[in-house]
Amino acid sequence: MKRVSVWLGGAALTLALSATPHPATAFELFGKKFFEKSDEEKAADVIGEPQNYTVEIQVSGDDDDLKGAVEGASSLYADRDEPASGASGLLAKARNDYKRILNTMYAQGRYGPTISIRVDGREAADLAPDTMLPDPAAVVVSVEPGPEFRFGKAEILRRAPPATNRFDEVEAPEKQGFVSGEVAKSGAIIGAGRLQVEAWRQQGHPKAEVAEQRVVAAHDQNIVDATLNIDPGPYAVYGPVTVQGTDRMAPEFVAFMAGLTPGAEYDPDDLKRASDRYARLDVFRAARLQEADAVNPDGTLPITVIAQERPLRRFGVGASYSTLDGAGIEAYWLHRNLFGRAERLRFDARVAGVGGTNNGSGEFSADPADLTYRLGATFTKPGVYTPDTDFAASLIGDREVLEPYTRTGVNAQVGFTQIFDERLSGKIFAEAGYDHFLEEPFDDREREFVSVGLLGGLTYDDRNNKTNATQGYYLDLQARPYYEIEYGNPTLQLIAEGRTYFGFGEDDPFVLAGRLKIGSLLGPDLDEAAPDRLFFAGGGGSVRGYAYRNIGLPVLNADGEDTGDVSGGKSLVEGSLEARVKVTQAIGLVGFVDAGTVGAESFPKFDEDIKIGTGVGLRYLTGLGPIRLDVAVPVDPGKNDPSFAFYVGIGQAF
């Protein structure tokens, strides 16, 4: 047993290292590295012939958690199924594992461990890089954790005062274990410093730092006394915002979009929102906000935006496929920066339904008359009135071929979107449109509708991940009041959708997800309402297993008999429940049930049948989100519904 004192920034750290006489190896504590290998030693780690090996982890005390921690820290164990790069590579892994396992013991509150890594019966630290080893070499990692240390004193000097704004609140260090009597994990000490620095920054002190940390381990009592001295630095307000690196973008607009008002209190959350705002502009390849090294004597902190612009134009092509809806292809052309203030002009074109069955016959078709077309243009001007207010205008012409109807129309919108905070956003648009409908279930009835009105919406999104949420919830509300000119009907369409997610276990390997959607149309009679403003259900984003928009009200013939066709209703209730399980880091499985019903009245009475679809899915998890493959079966299929359906996409179903 030997006692070592290490000085960190003027503070003494005393701890006992019980080890073999060999580990003249580096280890890291509180961000500092000690006993780092020399350049000569690193250069000796040359690559040789593949060296196979076996590895055994032995942790005294039969503590499964500690053994798991050692296995997680050991690169020898992690790479056990792959040969090392020669004997030198194997010994380099072993020498590195001394440090990794030692840091892991500190993280577990064990400050007197004994670590032995023997290769072919000899201590790895004693072996030269060119040592000849058998193939495979036997590696045994033995760890004697030593006693568990607890905090005797856990003290923070110049602690941040309680936040007066709930958005400035930072978790107390005590909640992460920095309290007398708790296990003295090194992570709790480091985390306490970080939390207190962040607490000061949230209250307008950008240069807060841990000025001194004194950690003393008393091995005769198995306790650790830790004292952190925080230097909050000066209080600061925003100074001028300057811009570097712009070419076509107007620097004054870039500074305005930061949203940092000179004289306002410094808040790191403001900088995060500014970074998100620059990302939404889609103009910059990179945009970084850099704080000045010091607060000015007048209390201002200058901010510099360092930007790198993207090319002006972009073109994209995409494809989709469903066994019901057929194949589709879409393309767009985008100009990102028309006039130097990130104005975007985008043209979109789409053809869909190739080989689909939504032609009324239930058979696959590639007839151009059965395809869906879309052509549109959208202009967006960001930073109108506030940095989070966008102006948008669009003109879209499309033809949509569905089982209940074929629609051909032109629609225009003009209005604003607003981001209120990280979770809440809204929109308000004026809109006008002309639509022509051909309704096969009603003997090819033709009707025209002309409407003018408003579209408003609010969205609250608290999900932890947009494409693969495991926690949080999502709520979207839309109201569309409009006047239909052909029939003279004032109308109000209301739609509300909520989603919620509950993850269980470490890293949420099991997730329960639920979705509920409700819609209502107030005003006109059914036979005077535009079919696309009525409600249908069915399809990949609704009730899986049923044909797209094939759940609705039954169409009756002159004798009052059900023809097997459907029309839209004035109310909708729709829901889904999914159980998601992560089988490996890359593979997930899903079981789901969807249900939906469409009513003839504005407020559902549940007189109509509730359609249920069920199925299973496979998820391949990628950095862009899960690639989704679902197969669904309708429990009570209608005339034009399949016996089963496949769906492929990116991201979870909801």
Side-chain angles (χ1 to χ4, degrees):
M1 178 81 65
K2 56 183 178 180
R3 191 172 298 272
V4 180
S5 291
V6 180
W7 287 86
L8 302 178
L13 167 64
T14 303
L15 45 100
L17 298 180
S18 257
T20 63
H22 316 290
T25 182
F27 70 92
E28 185 173 339
L29 181 64
F30 311 129
K32 305 292 184 178
K33 293 183 178 180
F34 306 96
F35 307 126
E36 183 73 10
K37 289 191 298 183
S38 67
D39 293 338
E40 290 78 13
E41 289 173 312
K42 293 178 180 178
D45 295 338
V46 295
I47 297 176
E49 293 297 323
Q51 173 68 61
N52 295 295
Y53 68 95
T54 62
V55 60
E56 179 183 359
I57 304 292
Q58 299 175 349
V59 179
S60 63
D62 295 326
D63 190 319
D64 291 338
D65 291 339
L66 280 179
K67 185 176 181 181
V70 172
E71 290 174 346
S74 171
S75 61
L76 286 166
Y77 187 81
D79 301 335
R80 62 191 181 279
D81 294 329
E82 299 292 333
S85 299
S88 62
L90 178 61
L91 294 174
K93 283 180 179 290
R95 286 192 292 270
N96 190 51
D97 271 6
Y98 284 116
K99 174 183 66 176
R100 296 167 66 96
I101 295 171
L102 184 63
N103 289 338
T104 298
M105 290 297 99
Y106 291 163
Q108 300 294 322
R110 308 286 181 141
Y111 291 91
T114 301
I115 302 169
S116 173
I117 302 177
R118 302 184 72 82
V119 180
D120 191 28
R122 294 168 288 177
E123 194 67 35
D126 286 343
L127 298 178
D130 59 353
T131 299
M132 298 295 294
L133 297 174
D135 192 28
V139 179
V140 179
V141 179
S142 300
V143 179
E144 167 58 55
E148 186 176 71
F149 284 64
R150 294 185 175 271
F151 285 116
K153 179 172 68 173
E155 183 180 28
I156 298 176
L157 304 180
R158 288 190 286 186
R159 186 174 185 138
T164 57
N165 185 329
R166 67 184 180 91
F167 295 108
D168 292 339
E169 293 177 354
V170 176
E171 187 177 36
E174 289 79 5
K175 290 188 176 181
Q176 291 198 359
F178 190 70
V179 62
S180 178
E182 290 293 319
V183 177
K185 298 180 179 181
S186 60
I189 302 172
I190 297 170
R194 289 174 179 167
L195 288 172
Q196 276 301 288
V197 166
E198 180 62 18
W200 277 111
R201 283 172 54 82
Q202 288 287 341
Q203 297 185 48
H205 294 259
K207 302 304 177 183
E209 62 179 356
V210 179
E212 181 184 29
Q213 55 184 12
R214 183 177 179 83
V215 184
V216 179
H219 291 270
D220 54 346
Q221 302 176 55
N222 297 334
I223 64 171
V224 168
D225 290 333
T227 301
L228 303 179
N229 188 2
I230 310 298
D231 179 7
Y235 175 83
V237 297
Y238 295 118
V241 177
T242 57
V243 178
Q244 297 178 5
T246 55
D247 182 12
R248 296 172 291 268
M249 284 286 290
E252 64 275 13
F253 175 76
V254 178
F256 167 76
M257 289 300 290
L260 306 178
T261 305
E265 179 181 282
Y266 169 88
D267 188 338
D269 295 336
D270 293 339
L271 303 184
K272 172 63 167 58
R273 283 189 286 269
S275 295
D276 293 343
R277 203 175 290 124
Y278 288 137
R280 288 197 303 271
L281 289 177
D282 196 32
V283 176
F284 300 117
R285 180 176 287 111
R288 176 168 58 90
L289 288 93
Q290 181 173 292
E291 303 174 12
D293 292 336
V295 178
N296 289 333
D298 63 356
T300 60
L301 180 70
I303 304 291
T304 301
V305 181
I306 303 173
Q308 183 181 7
E309 296 180 10
R310 293 179 184 269
L312 283 176
R313 298 167 184 83
R314 182 179 179 183
F315 175 80
V317 177
S320 61
Y321 178 75
S322 164
T323 55
L324 301 182
D325 308 325
I329 186 170
E330 54 191 75
Y332 71 88
W333 180 90
L334 170 69
H335 194 299
R336 307 176 196 268
N337 187 19
L338 279 175
F339 310 118
R341 293 176 178 264
E343 300 91 347
R344 297 189 298 275
L345 178 62
R346 175 170 171 146
F347 293 95
D348 289 90
R350 179 173 181 258
V351 178
V354 180
T357 61
N358 294 321
N359 52 34
S361 67
E363 299 177 353
F364 287 94
S365 171
D367 188 333
D370 293 332
L371 302 184
T372 289
Y373 304 92
R374 181 183 181 92
L375 182 65
T378 303
F379 172 77
T380 304
K381 179 177 176 56
V384 179
Y385 303 122
T386 79
D388 292 311
T389 308
D390 290 358
F391 168 82
S394 64
L395 180 64
I396 297 174
D398 59 348
R399 171 183 169 85
E400 187 178 27
V401 180
L402 303 171
E403 289 277 4
Y405 59 80
T406 295
R407 181 183 69 85
T408 305
V410 178
N411 291 271
Q413 284 187 337
V414 59
F416 301 90
T417 63
Q418 175 72 43
I419 296 177
F420 299 102
D421 58 35
E422 293 88 342
R423 299 175 180 84
L424 183 63
S425 60
K427 62 183 178 183
I428 181 70
F429 284 91
E431 56 182 9
Y434 163 82
D435 294 288
H436 173 273
F437 292 90
L438 175 65
E439 299 171 89
E440 282 193 33
F442 297 96
D443 299 323
D444 291 339
R445 177 176 64 180
E446 294 190 57
R447 292 190 292 168
E448 294 181 341
F449 295 86
V450 178
S451 61
V452 293
L454 298 174
L455 171 63
L458 284 174
T459 301
Y460 188 86
D461 191 348
D462 189 41
R463 295 173 295 177
N464 61 348
N465 186 302
K466 300 297 186 289
T467 61
N468 190 21
T470 60
Q471 299 286 347
Y473 53 93
Y474 170 95
L475 180 63
D476 183 71
L477 305 174
Q478 290 193 27
R480 176 177 257 146
Y482 64 93
Y483 184 78
E484 201 288 304
I485 296 173
E486 287 294 312
Y487 289 93
N489 288 321
T491 307
L492 174 62
Q493 185 190 61
L494 299 171
I495 301 175
E497 181 175 2
R499 308 171 189 173
T500 187
Y501 309 85
F502 300 95
F504 302 91
E506 186 176 355
D507 297 328
D508 298 324
F510 181 76
V511 178
L512 284 179
R515 179 183 71 92
L516 178 65
K517 183 176 181 179
I518 300 173
S520 178
L521 187 74
L522 305 170
D525 295 332
L526 272 173
D527 56 359
E528 292 186 357
D532 66 328
R533 299 293 170 89
L534 295 172
F535 294 104
F536 295 84
S542 175
V543 183
R544 284 164 284 188
Y546 292 83
Y548 177 60
R549 295 170 70 90
N550 202 44
I551 298 175
L553 302 179
V555 175
L556 307 180
N557 61 21
D559 297 326
E561 298 172 338
D562 189 346
T563 64
D565 295 315
V566 298
S567 63
K570 296 177 67 175
S571 63
L572 168 72
V573 178
E574 187 178 275
S576 300
L577 182 65
E578 287 194 350
R580 306 170 182 170
V581 180
K582 185 189 293 185
V583 180
T584 69
Q585 288 299 109
I587 300 296
L589 297 177
V590 174
F592 60 84
V593 176
D594 301 332
T597 183
V598 173
E601 303 296 330
S602 297
F603 298 96
K605 297 181 178 179
F606 298 98
D607 295 335
E608 291 76 15
D609 292 337
I610 297 177
K611 296 291 188 177
I612 299 175
T614 185
V616 295
L618 178 69
R619 304 290 185 264
Y620 180 71
L621 307 176
T622 72
L624 297 176
I627 297 175
R628 181 177 78 253
L629 172 62
D630 287 338
V631 57
V633 176
V635 174
D636 182 21
K639 172 186 175 182
N640 296 316
D641 288 317
S643 55
F644 64 90
F646 288 99
Y647 303 91
V648 179
I650 296 179
Q652 297 286 1
F654 60 89

